[in-house]
Amino acid sequence: MYDMETKTLKEKFFALYGEGDVAGYFSPGRVNLIGEHTDYNGGFVFPCALTFGTYCLIRKTENPFFRFASMNIETREQIPLDRLTTPLAKGNWVNYPVGTLAQFIKRGLHFSSGADILIYGNVPGGAGLSSSAALEVVTAVAINDQYQFGLGKIDLALMGQKAEHEFAGVNCGIMDQFASAMGEADHAIFLNCDTLDYEQVPVKLDGIKIVIGNTNSPHSLDSGKYNERVAQCKAAVETLKPYKKINTLAEISAEDFFALEDKFDDDVVKRRARHVVTEIKRTTDAVRELKAGNIEEFGRLMNGSHDSLKADYEVTGQELDTMVEEARKIDGVIGSRMTGGGFGGSTVSLVKDEAVTRFIEEVGENYKRRTGLQPQFYVAEIGQGGHRIF
Ligand code: GLA
């Protein structure tokens, strides 16, 4: 088991629900290396699963309800079987697991009795490392296994995404749940978010570490701003449709897009689309360069990704920009960018082994001086997707 002793989790479970059998599951958070805000446009992403994430302990009962508790948050809920498809109040963490249970029912898979569930997460909240996807996927994996519903992991990921849409109000793409379900140790997933075809690409980088920097910026993923970006991308497709038969921005090449740029009346919509089409190209280029061993080029594409997210997509903000700026000043940094939805959250940087300590010290100090916030750094280990642990 990863980070937390099985024993502590079990003790807490027994204290809450009584002694007896219990099963444990884990699903990771993710870090995206490149391909940001492309997933809901049918484009490519390149995320990897982390070794921190969310644990779910579960015991099926004869009760006509599910009980939910967490070691991170006080709120507990007891939800009757006939209320599992109804969202709880906005902001209640139990929306994520209940929203996931609801997806089984929507697929015609019913619960004849309930279960007791205890959650523990060690993905730093609000860090943009997909703590919510980890919670959805771990719930889906646990329920699917315990009730022997027999669904595949990609279906479980899709159900997690739906839970996010319907119970959290974020119209997210599939990247986070897919990475949390399908991750493999030491691999990043090159995923086509339109077809869900994917390739596991080895990322054991010789002499290089993936360093995550949590800005600890108070913004969390703002569903309003996120959904606004999703809507702007749809508006861009509508603008382009008279000239090019497309349903998503992934269906137009960067070249064709540039030839049609003057068709946009709305400059903001144009810039949003420009980010998406160029980011999709950067992502395919980056994977090709990585496979060819051109890590410096991969780093340059990461930098290009951040710059486009800053100028055209406008999802970075002062904290992410400051951290990336400071990171790029360090000798031995190959590339640095924001990762995840943005508006606060984390950066991801490729850093040569010998520069990692200096990176953490100097970026940490300069970031703190400039923003007044205390950042956190993690050297990422790439772990396995959702699975049973005991
Ligand atoms: C969030 C969403 C993902 C994806 C990223 C941006 O993490 O949940 O679906 O859109 O933002 O790439």
Side-chain angles (χ1 to χ4, degrees):
M1 174 160 189
Y2 293 114
D3 187 46
M4 178 100 186
E5 290 306 313
T6 310
K7 203 168 149 262
T8 320
L9 283 169
K10 280 187 180 167
E11 275 168 11
K12 178 75 184 174
F13 187 92
F14 296 147
L16 275 168
Y17 300 123
E19 301 272 333
D21 290 341
V22 62
Y25 298 82
F26 171 80
S27 272
R30 63 95 189 93
V31 62
N32 187 23
L33 298 179
I34 192 162
E36 217 65 85
H37 288 279
T38 52
D39 60 352
Y40 51 83
N41 289 297
F44 288 98
V45 293
F46 196 46
C48 32
L50 297 167
T51 50
F52 41 74
T54 305
Y55 298 88
C56 173
L57 272 66
I58 183 169
R59 175 194 293 154
K60 280 171 76 179
T61 65
E62 298 299 317
N63 299 327
F65 52 77
F66 277 83
R67 286 190 288 189
F68 298 91
S70 158
M71 288 177 69
N72 303 86
I73 301 175
E74 294 270 310
T75 313
R76 287 191 217 158
E77 297 289 350
Q78 175 173 314
I79 317 277
L81 294 177
D82 60 1
R83 293 296 302 274
L84 292 171
T85 50
T86 315
L88 305 165
K90 203 173 173 229
N92 186 337
W93 73 271
V94 181
N95 272 311
Y96 297 99
V98 170
T100 307
L101 291 183
Q103 304 312 318
F104 287 93
I105 298 170
K106 290 187 173 187
R107 285 180 177 234
L109 300 166
H110 289 277
F111 301 101
S112 52
S113 66
D116 290 337
I117 289 176
L118 173 66
I119 298 292
Y120 168 73
N122 56 11
V123 183
L129 302 173
S130 293
S131 55
S132 64
L135 174 51
E136 290 146 6
V137 172
V138 81
T139 306
V141 170
I143 294 291
N144 188 49
D145 191 44
Q146 287 293 306
Y147 289 82
Q148 302 194 334
F149 286 143
L151 296 176
K153 279 197 174 178
I154 295 183
D155 273 332
L156 300 179
L158 288 164
M159 290 159 73
Q161 180 194 20
K162 277 209 148 176
E164 187 91 30
H165 291 181
E166 294 169 8
F167 282 67
V170 180
N171 297 328
C172 66
I174 187 61
M175 169 168 76
D176 302 347
Q177 291 81 7
F178 198 97
S180 183
M182 301 293 289
E184 270 182 21
D186 297 324
H187 288 74
I189 308 172
F190 182 39
L191 171 66
N192 178 331
C193 297
D194 180 32
T195 60
L196 299 187
D197 288 338
Y198 67 98
E199 183 188 344
Q200 300 280 2
V201 181
V203 280
K204 238 195 168 348
L205 307 167
D206 253 355
I208 293 165
K209 295 277 187 290
I210 299 169
V211 181
I212 296 171
N214 179 1
T215 62
N216 268 320
S217 148
H219 325 247
S220 62
L221 180 63
D222 181 320
S223 63
K225 287 187 196 156
Y226 185 92
N227 291 347
E228 180 188 76
R229 297 302 183 281
V230 176
Q232 286 163 336
C233 291
K234 284 209 176 107
V237 170
E238 291 310 312
T239 306
L240 292 167
K241 259 187 180 164
Y243 313 98
K244 187 104 192 147
K245 277 210 177 77
I246 57 166
N247 291 311
T248 65
L249 287 174
E251 291 169 26
I252 185 165
S253 68
E255 231 175 34
D256 288 353
F257 174 80
F258 287 131
L260 292 170
E261 259 191 327
D262 62 345
K263 307 294 181 204
F264 284 88
D265 296 330
D266 187 332
D267 179 62
V268 172
V269 170
K270 177 177 82 185
R271 289 188 291 116
R272 302 296 188 252
R274 187 165 62 200
H275 164 72
V276 174
V277 297
T278 58
E279 181 76 356
I280 292 171
K281 178 160 172 20
R282 274 187 294 275
T283 307
T284 47
D285 288 351
V287 174
R288 188 190 60 232
E289 296 299 335
L290 179 71
K291 286 181 178 168
N294 300 329
I295 194 72
E296 299 285 339
E297 190 51 34
F298 188 92
R300 268 193 288 278
L301 289 159
M302 286 175 75
N303 290 344
S305 166
H306 183 90
D307 299 346
S308 170
L309 287 157
K310 177 182 175 187
D312 277 348
Y313 220 64
E314 296 179 286
V315 292
T316 56
Q318 193 225 334
E319 291 86 359
L320 287 165
D321 289 337
T322 304
M323 189 176 274
V324 162
E325 232 175 83
E326 291 301 330
R328 290 183 190 168
K329 287 182 191 161
I330 308 285
D331 212 20
V333 169
I334 293 159
S336 184
R337 58 181 292 274
M338 61 154 269
T339 186
F343 313 111
S346 295
T347 66
V348 58
S349 307
L350 296 187
V351 186
K352 290 191 177 150
D353 283 350
E354 63 274 16
V356 170
T357 309
R358 194 158 32 86
F359 176 98
I360 292 174
E361 272 169 25
E362 290 183 20
V363 177
E365 242 166 61
N366 292 334
Y367 174 80
K368 191 174 174 190
R369 180 175 43 74
R370 290 178 59 187
T371 62
L373 297 169
Q374 179 69 53
Q376 268 141 6
F377 295 95
Y378 316 90
V379 174
E381 284 173 55
I382 304 182
Q384 194 195 336
H387 60 280
R388 186 168 180 166
I389 48 175
F390 57 82

